Every structure is written in structure tokens, then in C-alpha cells.
Amino acid sequence: MTAVLQAQGLGKRYGRRWALTDCTLDIPAGHVVGLVGPNGAGKTTLLNLAVGQLPPTSGDIEVLGGSPADGPAQLAKVGYVAQDTPTYAGLSVADHLRLGARLNPGWDDALAHERIAGLGLDPARRAAKLSGGQRAQLALTLGVAKRPELLILDEPVAALDPLARREFLQSLMEAVAEHEFSVVLSSHLVADLERVCDYLVVLVDSRIQVAGEVEELLATHHRLTGPRRDPKTLPAGQQVISAGHTDRQTTLLVRTDDPIHDPAWTVGQVSLEDLVLAYMSRQAETDRGDRPALEVQR
């Protein structure tokens, strides 16, 4: 099966600042991928590179086996909902569907109208008069009705209230189940990722920190609690992701494929939130003056 996204040494520089550095990824198809990291980490830059809106400064990127935006056939494979779920304020819902039909050769008009009716949206209503949640659902409808192989969503629900976010994500998962396309979803809301994603990519300070299937990542990361000790004394196969100490106790989050036999440790499971925050804390330790802009909302 063709990979959704492959990047090798990918980088993007704006003047002297690198927004993305040495990004190497190989994401298989058939997943709902959560791309998470603090604000300014490079998430939007990576997605803009993936849809061909930006050229890379270094390295290479392929999406669904081709170069991003390389001709009509490649463009037809990828749906994209940018930040703030952009719609045209002066156009009606029906106008948006007509525009989608004109711009996309694979457009599924029946699907588009079925979704709009199911959402209770008035086709004659202008986008400027819709709520934030309704505009997000309209933008998702445009992306799904394109019938893409891959749908890329950049922070699509960050500005929505909790109920609207839940409805949007439920609608997204229903569409994925019915039409079987892959998704890359950028978010800094961990609760959203827990609800919908089965593959995780953590991007911090313009670099990929970890990537893999959520089930496998949770199975290979553990919280160790025991008497205070230097993390450097752990076996070579136990990678320390984060460490905390009191006068008498050490708490570590480690990654390992091997069983942990040391009886001094109490071994606990980690949540997706624990895992994400542990990888992001590396940036915080580098610069304690800046706190990661990650929101854990329920």
C-alpha cells in the first residue's frame, strides 16, 4: 500500500529561521494521523509542504507516491482544510457546493448535498451567517465530497466550543468509516487526538520527536517510579524521555521494547497525554522561560 506521506531530510527556512528541520517520516495509508506539538513547532509548515503550497528548502517529500500538487491528478488525491476552516463569507452554502463541483473532477454532489441536509444547513444561507461549528462542517463537507485519498486538516476545531468540536470529530470519523480515506489531523488539543487518531506524530521545535501507531507507542512507553537514582544507570535498551526527582524518589518515562525486571521500579502505564507532554518537555527543559502551548481539554 502506498504511503500517505514520505519525507526525507525535509526542511523549510524563512530567512534565517528554520520552521522545519531534518524531517524524516514514513506514514502508512489507512490511518487517522494526529500531528501534535506546541504552537510554532512547524505543524502548519509541514502540512503546507504536503499540499504543495510551499516549496521545501531542503530534502524531499512525497504524498501518495507523487510530488505535492504535481498536476491535476495529484491535486485530486488530496483534500485540504486550512487553519480557521476557511469559507467565503459572501457565498451561500449552495454556492460553495457549486464551486466545489466546478473545481474538483471527482466531486460527489450527492454526498455533498446529503451531508448538508444531515447537518441541517440552509443551502441559501451565506457563510458569514453560519456559526463557527457550521462553517467547520461546511469546510469538512467540501473536503470529503472531493473524494480524496488523503484529507489534511490543519487545526480544524481549535476555535470551536467543546460541543461543536465533538460534533465535528464525530462527523469526521463517520466519513472516514464510510469512505475509507486517510487523514492527517493537526491539533494541539490532546483530547481530540485521543478520540480519533490511531497514529501519532509529535513535532517540537521544528523537529520530529516520535512517530508511530498509538497502540504501539503506548505499549512501549512506561512510567517508572522508585528510589532516587541517576537515569544514566539504566540499561542501554531503556531510553529516558523525561525524568523527575524528589529528595528520595525518581520518576521516569522510558521507551523500551524489553521487559523491565528491576524490582526497585514500580512500572505504570502512560496515557497519550503523558506521552505527548513528555516529548514536549524536552523543549521546556531547553528553554524553561517558554511553556509549551499545549491545551489538554475535555
Side-chain angles (χ1 to χ4, degrees):
M1 184 179 290
T2 302
V4 164
L5 188 152
Q6 290 179 307
Q8 185 67 43
L10 184 67
K12 180 62 182 180
R13 184 177 61 195
Y14 298 98
R16 296 182 178 181
R17 184 181 69 86
W18 285 90
L20 194 68
T21 307
D22 194 25
C23 174
T24 297
L25 271 176
D26 191 345
I27 300 175
H31 289 285
V32 178
V33 181
L35 174 63
V36 64
N39 294 332
K43 301 187 299 296
T44 295
T45 296
L46 175 58
L47 297 185
N48 283 336
L49 288 165
V51 298
Q53 291 192 355
L54 291 174
T57 304
S58 61
D60 300 292
I61 182 171
E62 285 191 356
V63 175
L64 297 167
S67 297
D70 186 20
Q74 182 68 17
L75 286 168
K77 294 179 182 180
V78 181
Y80 181 44
V81 178
Q83 278 187 332
D84 302 322
T85 54
T87 53
Y88 296 96
L91 297 185
S92 69
V93 171
D95 290 335
H96 281 84
L97 301 192
R98 284 190 286 268
L99 184 62
R102 292 191 62 180
L103 295 177
N104 298 288
W107 181 259
D108 190 330
D109 203 51
L111 171 61
H113 282 87
E114 180 181 341
R115 278 188 53 81
I116 293 301
L119 292 166
L121 296 182
D122 179 359
R125 196 171 183 83
R126 290 191 296 120
K129 299 298 183 179
L130 300 177
S131 69
Q134 289 173 327
R135 288 194 300 274
Q137 289 284 16
L138 174 58
L140 178 61
T141 297
L142 296 174
V144 172
K146 184 179 180 177
R147 283 301 191 109
E149 295 179 38
L150 169 64
L151 180 62
I152 294 177
L153 305 169
D154 187 7
E155 301 275 8
V157 297
L160 303 185
D161 63 68
L163 179 58
R165 290 208 316 271
R166 185 180 292 273
E167 291 174 345
F168 179 92
L169 294 172
Q170 181 178 346
S171 180
L172 171 64
M173 294 313 294
E174 290 171 353
V176 170
E178 182 175 358
H179 303 293
E180 298 184 340
F181 52 85
S182 300
V183 177
V184 174
L185 167 67
S186 166
S187 180
H188 60 278
L189 301 170
V190 176
D192 292 344
L193 304 181
E194 291 177 323
R195 292 188 186 111
V196 301
C197 296
D198 60 2
Y199 197 101
L200 179 71
V201 178
V202 179
L203 181 63
V204 179
D205 197 22
S206 306
R207 297 178 182 271
I208 301 295
Q209 302 297 312
V210 68
E213 295 187 20
V214 169
E215 184 176 342
E216 179 182 354
L217 291 176
L218 293 179
T220 54
H221 287 76
H222 312 277
R223 179 183 286 105
L224 307 185
T225 305
R228 184 179 177 103
R229 70 165 71 174
D230 186 345
K232 295 178 181 178
T233 64
L234 267 62
Q238 296 178 10
Q239 179 189 7
V240 177
I241 307 302
S242 68
H245 305 278
T246 65
D247 289 342
R248 296 185 177 183
Q249 180 176 286
T250 289
T251 301
L252 307 175
L253 192 144
V254 302
R255 182 176 188 177
T256 180
D257 293 319
D258 303 324
I260 299 170
H261 296 300
D262 189 336
W265 292 118
T266 298
V267 182
Q269 294 181 326
V270 299
S271 67
L272 190 64
E273 176 186 326
D274 295 330
L275 191 151
V276 169
L277 290 174
Y279 279 97
M280 289 177 62
S281 70
R282 292 178 166 185
Q283 182 187 35
E285 291 169 3
T286 299
D287 186 356
R288 293 186 180 276
D290 294 326
R291 297 186 63 186
L294 181 75
E295 299 176 37
V296 182
Q297 298 187 13
R298 303 288 177 186

